[in-house]
Amino acid sequence: MKAISSRDNPAVRRLHALAGSARERRKHGETLLDGAHLLTAALQVGWPLKEVVVSDHGLAQADIASLLERAAGVPVLHLPDRLFAHVSPVDSPSGVLAVIDLPAPPPVKTLRDTVVLLDGVQDTGNLGTILRTAAAAGVADVLLTPGCAQAWAPRVLRAGMGAHFVLRIHEGVDAAERLAAFPGPVIATALAAGARNLYQTDLARPVAWLFGAEGQGLSAEVAALASETVIIPMQGAIESLNVGAAAAVCLFEQVRQGQRSS
């Protein structure tokens, strides 16, 4: 374990850059995992850790001490709490983080099973939540258009809670090109007249789901790819849901229908 106490140390400067800059993450080909839960999820699937960073507070936590034992052989940096807070990618430092390599893009292949396409989703919490929901619903491939937040940003990873390690995440995709040969319906949620009730729509089949940005929804180009539109029935004066909540409702209605038909 190597102890560092200076903010000017090159390792500290690199960690600080990785925490806050997508450009620096791309430059170094690395990103940060924050928190014992996320590091544990990575170790459970054999995801390689390049370096572990722990604070004074972290070393005093039994779960983090156990985690360091599981990560035996991985270089460890020990930072004072104030310095760890400086490099932490979140507002409330967890006491432990790890450096990993950004993964290579997954291979391009014909999509035949249910897939989620996200268009311009920039909120890191929403993006991570949708990735987690997709993984929980059994989706294997998630496509992100160029307007989305960086999928492997530390805050997205934290919100995903390990989903990144079991998904194939395709960034910067051309939506029309990737969905051109999709064998099932391409479905978008909409408030417009003519949209079918979600619960009256046949979802016991492969579906390409389209979910758009938090404010403006789908771009015109992506919306035009939809072969069907559905609406989520809501009570009272509420007209719409957060995109993360809408994705959860749609994906788990599909899960429910699939279980009923099996």
Side-chain angles (χ1 to χ4, degrees):
M1 185 180 300
K2 181 180 179 181
I4 297 176
S5 58
S6 172
R7 183 176 290 203
D8 293 327
N9 185 282
V12 171
R13 291 202 300 268
R14 177 174 60 91
L15 291 169
H16 182 67
L18 293 176
S21 169
R23 181 177 64 83
E24 289 296 319
R25 289 190 289 272
R26 287 190 291 266
K27 173 184 173 182
H28 292 282
E30 297 173 330
T31 190
L32 301 179
L33 306 181
D34 177 80
H37 180 93
L38 195 52
L39 270 67
T40 299
L43 290 171
Q44 285 176 339
V45 299
W47 200 277
L49 308 181
K50 294 183 71 175
E51 188 175 59
V52 174
V53 184
V54 65
S55 69
D56 291 332
H57 175 75
L59 281 177
Q61 306 304 308
D63 60 335
I64 293 178
S66 176
L67 184 63
L68 294 178
E69 292 180 4
R70 291 186 59 187
V74 179
V76 178
L77 297 182
H78 174 204
L79 306 182
D81 288 339
R82 60 173 178 77
L83 201 53
F84 187 93
H86 175 66
V87 303
S88 173
V90 297
D91 296 331
S92 299
S94 65
V96 66
L97 57 84
V99 179
I100 64 169
D101 284 326
L102 291 175
V108 176
K109 63 180 184 65
T110 301
L111 300 168
R112 301 193 181 280
D113 299 318
T114 290
V115 62
V116 169
L117 184 139
L118 304 180
D119 182 36
V121 176
Q122 298 180 343
D123 183 273
T124 56
N126 280 339
L127 179 53
T129 296
I130 295 171
L131 293 175
R132 186 180 184 187
T133 300
V139 175
D141 291 276
V142 179
L143 314 180
L144 278 61
T145 66
C148 289
Q150 187 184 44
W152 293 85
R155 289 178 181 266
V156 179
L157 280 155
R158 178 152 178 159
M161 297 292 282
H164 290 70
F165 307 133
V166 297
L167 291 170
R168 291 186 292 268
I169 302 172
H170 311 255
E171 296 189 87
V173 303
D174 181 317
E177 179 181 331
R178 293 304 306 274
L179 297 181
F182 188 74
V186 178
I187 300 181
T189 57
L191 299 175
R196 177 177 294 188
N197 186 315
L198 172 70
Y199 304 123
Q200 297 172 357
T201 303
D202 178 13
L203 303 175
R205 50 184 174 159
V207 171
W209 291 101
L210 308 180
F211 298 108
E214 292 76 10
Q216 61 270 33
L218 295 169
S219 64
E221 295 79 9
V222 173
L225 301 176
S227 59
E228 299 181 25
T229 56
V230 298
I231 188 168
I232 300 171
M234 283 172 276
Q235 302 296 317
I238 303 302
E239 295 183 351
S240 63
L241 294 175
N242 167 279
V243 64
V249 171
C250 292
L251 290 173
F252 276 92
E253 171 60 14
Q254 185 181 17
V255 169
R256 186 191 69 83
Q257 291 190 23
Q259 291 177 342
R260 185 182 61 186
S261 64
S262 61

